């Protein structure tokens, strides 16, 4: 039988790994969303019809 303390330690390690990987995923997604926002903004500036915005 596995000791409850070992089980708790293992669960802490697993949850820590999930938290770290989730943080990495979130931070990389922020960079992608920021770039997409800049692209959409530049298209909007081009579409306003003012010469020299494109």
């Amino acid at each position: 039988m596995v000791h409850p303390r070992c089980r708790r330690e293992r669960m802490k390690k697993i949850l820590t790994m999930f938290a770290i990987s989730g943080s990495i995923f979130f931070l990389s997604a922020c960079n992608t969303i920021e770039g997409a926002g800049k692209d959409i903004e530049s298209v909007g500036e081009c579409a306003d019809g003012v010469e020299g915005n494109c």
Side-chain angles (χ1 to χ4, degrees):
M1 185 169 173
V2 178
H3 195 273
R5 179 185 253 168
C6 291
R7 202 178 290 167
R8 187 173 296 149
E9 293 292 324
R10 190 177 328 145
M11 186 60 92
K12 281 183 182 180
K13 287 180 184 180
I14 291 171
L15 290 175
T16 301
M17 287 181 0
F18 276 124
I20 290 171
S21 62
S23 298
I24 290 170
F25 177 75
F26 178 74
L27 291 173
S28 67
C30 285
N31 189 23
T32 305
I33 292 170
E34 182 182 348
K38 287 180 181 179
D39 291 342
I40 292 169
E41 183 180 355
S42 69
V43 169
E45 289 175 356
C46 247
D48 67 3
V50 176
E51 184 134 356
N53 272 352
C54 295

